[in-house]
Amino acid sequence: MYTRETEPSPDSFVRSKKPVFGTFEGHAERLDIRGVFKPYGTLPLPTFITNLRIKSRLVYIFSIGEYLGSIQFLDAKIFGMAEVCFWNTRTRQKYVYRSVMGPRKRFVPHSLNLAATTSYRKSRYIRISWDRKNNRLSMIFDLKGDSARPRANAALSSTFDSGQFSELTCVIPAPTLRRSSASYYAMFPLSGAVNLIFPNGEFQAMQKQDGVSFLDINRTYMKFRSHGEVITCLSNLDGKLLSLRLKSTSHDAVNPNAYNANVLFYDGKPTPLPPVVITHHYGLMNQWIIQDTENMVDLTFTPCSENINKLSVVILRAVTHTIYGTLEGVVCTSSGEKISIKSLPCLTENYLIRL
C-alpha cells in the first residue's frame, strides 16, 4: 500500500530563502511561497521580480441538490478573473458567468485563518470568505442574466468544526527543488441554496439543502508554458462525505512518489494518493482512464458537457477546458478500504497557459 508521510504544518513554507517541501497536516497561518532565492536558475534576478512569476488561484467546487459547479479566482498580478460555471446534473444544462477585474493588490489572499476574495461588479458579485475564529466559511454570488442565461444567486455556508471537515497542505517541487507549488485543500459539508430566474420569468427556487464542497488555494512559480489536467469528484456516500482530487501537470515533481498533490478525503480523514496517469486517446470528450501503479486508483471518467474558456490579456494566454461528467471505478483509503464509485458527478479540467 502506497504511503506518503505527513508532517505538522510549518510556520513558513520558505526557510532561509529555500522552499519547504512535504505533505502537511492541517494548515499554516499563511499560504505564501515568496522570497525563494534564484528560483529560475543562476540568473541574479531580485526576488521582487521572481515573485511576479508566482500565479495564484482559488477554486471552490460545490455539489448541492441538482447542481455541481465551480467558482474560480485567478490572480495574474496585473489583473484578475473570476468565473462561475455550474451544471444541472439532471438536465445537463450549463451556466457560465465571467468577470475580469482590474489591478488590485491581491486577488487571492495569503491568510488561511481570516480572509475574503471578491468580485465587486454589480452584474457579477462573487464572494468567498472564511473566518476560523467564528467557525464559518461562506460563498455568495449574485449574477445578472441576459437573453440566453438566467439570473443566478446562491448562498452556501460551511463550518470548520464539523466531523466531516478535513484539510491537507501539499508543497511540491515545481518541478525542480529551486521552486515550489503549494496547495491547500479542504473538504466541507455545506448548506444553502441556488436559485435561478429565467428570461421568461420562470423562477426555480431551491429549498435550503445540505451538500459537500471542496476548497483549493494554489500558488505556483510558473513556467513560460504550463499544462495539466485536474480531476475533482464530490459526493455523499451513505452519510460519509467524499472528495477526490487528482492532478497530472507539467509542474509535477521529478520524484512524484515522494511529492505530489493527489488526495482523497473520506469521512473526515485525508488519504495522500500516489501519482496517477491520465489518458484520453480519443479526445477530451471521450472516455478518460485514470490509474496508478499502486492499485489504489482505477477510475474511468465519461464526459457529458464542456465549457471552454480562452483568455488573452497582455502577456498571458490561457485555454481551459472544464468538463462535467461521471466517474466510475475504485479508489482506496490509507487503511486499505476500497471505495466503489458508481456514476458520481465529476468535474475535470484540461489547461494550457503561456506567459
Side-chain angles (χ1 to χ4, degrees):
M1 180 70 66
Y2 171 85
T3 58
R4 193 164 79 242
E5 183 181 356
T6 59
E7 308 170 55
S9 188
D11 295 333
S12 173
F13 297 116
V14 178
R15 290 178 183 161
S16 302
K17 297 186 177 182
K18 293 183 179 180
V20 178
F21 302 116
T23 301
F24 303 106
E25 303 163 358
H27 69 283
E29 288 189 7
R30 294 170 62 82
L31 190 71
D32 193 352
I33 58 174
R34 294 174 297 175
V36 172
F37 181 66
K38 294 183 180 179
Y40 292 96
T42 57
L43 292 175
L45 297 174
T47 55
F48 80 88
I49 293 180
T50 56
N51 287 344
L52 293 175
R53 291 281 295 276
I54 299 173
K55 297 297 179 284
S56 305
R57 193 171 75 150
L58 183 150
V59 182
Y60 178 88
I61 299 177
F62 63 91
S63 175
I64 185 168
E66 297 179 337
Y67 298 109
L68 174 70
S70 69
I71 296 99
Q72 300 193 38
F73 282 85
L74 171 66
D75 185 349
K77 304 298 183 184
I78 58 175
F79 79 100
M81 188 188 75
E83 179 184 78
V84 178
C85 179
F86 62 98
W87 279 264
N88 183 312
T89 58
R90 179 177 57 84
T91 65
R92 299 184 181 180
Q93 179 65 46
K94 174 181 65 179
Y95 307 99
V96 182
Y97 307 82
R98 298 189 183 99
S99 175
V100 175
M101 299 175 287
R104 193 190 300 175
K105 182 179 180 181
R106 187 164 294 114
F107 299 99
V108 177
H110 285 117
S111 175
L112 296 178
N113 288 326
L114 173 63
T117 185
T118 309
S119 169
Y120 292 102
R121 285 181 58 189
K122 290 183 179 180
S123 61
R124 298 285 187 271
Y125 181 79
I126 310 163
R127 178 181 173 87
I128 299 173
S129 62
W130 54 92
D131 183 347
R132 289 179 186 267
K133 183 177 179 180
N134 290 310
N135 188 33
R136 184 177 177 84
L137 180 145
S138 66
M139 189 286 296
I140 298 171
F141 63 67
D142 188 0
L143 310 168
K144 185 178 179 181
D146 53 30
S147 60
R149 291 173 296 182
R151 178 168 185 168
N153 61 71
L156 308 177
S157 64
S158 303
T159 60
F160 289 90
D161 63 356
S162 166
Q164 294 285 305
F165 166 71
S166 189
E167 59 184 349
L168 200 70
T169 305
C170 301
V171 184
I172 66 173
T176 71
L177 295 175
R178 287 195 183 100
R179 55 186 183 265
S180 62
S181 174
S183 295
Y184 169 76
Y185 296 148
M187 177 184 72
F188 298 84
L190 66 83
S191 62
V194 178
N195 302 308
L196 302 179
I197 304 174
F198 289 86
N200 62 5
E202 180 187 355
F203 181 39
Q204 290 186 2
M206 176 190 291
Q207 297 296 321
K208 188 175 182 180
Q209 296 191 30
D210 294 331
V212 56
S213 62
F214 178 81
L215 177 67
D216 171 15
I217 304 175
N218 173 265
R219 285 189 158 83
T220 301
Y221 280 93
M222 295 292 287
K223 299 178 179 181
F224 283 111
R225 186 178 187 274
S226 302
H227 58 86
E229 292 173 326
V230 183
I231 295 168
T232 309
C233 180
L234 304 177
S235 186
N236 185 331
L237 300 178
D238 299 323
K240 297 180 179 180
L241 299 188
L242 175 145
S243 179
L244 177 67
R245 168 54 69 94
L246 301 172
K247 284 184 174 183
S248 178
T249 78
S250 59
H251 289 279
D252 287 350
V254 174
N255 181 6
N257 282 305
Y259 302 110
N260 72 71
N262 296 333
V263 65
L264 166 70
F265 294 109
Y266 182 64
D267 196 21
K269 300 180 180 65
T271 293
L273 293 173
V276 296
V277 176
I278 302 172
T279 56
H280 36 75
H281 297 299
Y282 300 102
L284 292 178
M285 291 307 293
N286 285 285
Q287 196 174 73
W288 296 29
I289 305 298
I290 307 104
Q291 294 177 320
D292 70 340
T293 59
E294 305 290 338
N295 295 321
M296 291 185 72
V297 180
D298 187 4
L299 300 167
T300 300
F301 172 70
T302 303
C304 296
S305 176
E306 178 184 30
N307 174 53
I308 302 176
N309 184 6
K310 296 182 180 181
L311 183 65
S312 179
V313 180
V314 192
I315 61 171
L316 178 68
R317 305 289 185 272
V319 180
T320 304
H321 301 256
T322 303
I323 305 171
Y324 157 69
T326 57
L327 197 67
E328 296 194 13
V330 175
V331 63
C332 293
T333 68
S334 56
S335 63
E337 180 182 358
K338 289 188 176 182
I339 302 171
S340 179
I341 293 175
K342 296 181 179 179
S343 299
L344 294 186
C346 178
L347 289 180
T348 66
E349 183 178 273
N350 173 286
Y351 67 85
L352 173 64
I353 300 174
R354 294 187 180 92
L355 295 177

